[in-house]
Amino acid sequence: MAHLVVSYPKHAGATFDAAYYRDTHIPLVEEAWGDCGLTAADILWPADEGQPNAAMVVLTFRDSAAIDAAMASPRTPEVLGDVANFTNIQPSLYRTA
């Protein structure tokens, strides 16, 4: 099992549409990368406004090769292009082996 953790660090002027993220973006990610080996997408919402991130998601893949397959997928530009529809925050990625 391998993980890709995507976080959205807050900054002055940051916007983040949580409903769009939950209801539209994450289902898109699951659809686009499911065939690549994505097995789960767990959204982590901040407990309070003092947290440094607007949100985080832990994407679980069957293995590291599955993350590579997702990143190389022809659907990845669609996933990345959708980010502008819910935030102006540059996502930060953290990958586990």
Side-chain angles (χ1 to χ4, degrees), residues 25 28-33 59 70-71 73-84 86:
H25 184 71
L28 169 65
V29 169
E30 292 170 328
E31 178 187 328
W33 292 344
L59 302 174
M71 294 298 101
S73 167
R75 303 257 340 248
T76 296
E78 179 184 3
V79 170
L80 299 179
D82 190 52
V83 172
F86 63 87

Side-chain angles (χ1 to χ4, degrees), residues 25-94:
H25 184 71
I26 294 302
L28 169 65
V29 169
E30 292 170 328
E31 178 187 328
W33 292 344
D35 289 343
C36 298
L38 176 70
T39 60
D42 298 308
I43 302 170
L44 306 175
W45 299 112
D48 57 57
E49 288 297 315
Q51 298 299 310
N53 295 299
M56 298 174 71
V57 65
V58 178
L59 302 174
T60 303
F61 291 83
R62 69 174 174 264
D63 54 29
S64 189
I67 295 176
D68 293 337
M71 294 298 101
S73 167
R75 303 257 340 248
T76 296
E78 179 184 3
V79 170
L80 299 179
D82 190 52
V83 172
N85 291 323
F86 63 87
T87 190
N88 63 355
I89 299 171
Q90 177 67 41
S92 175
L93 302 178
Y94 179 81

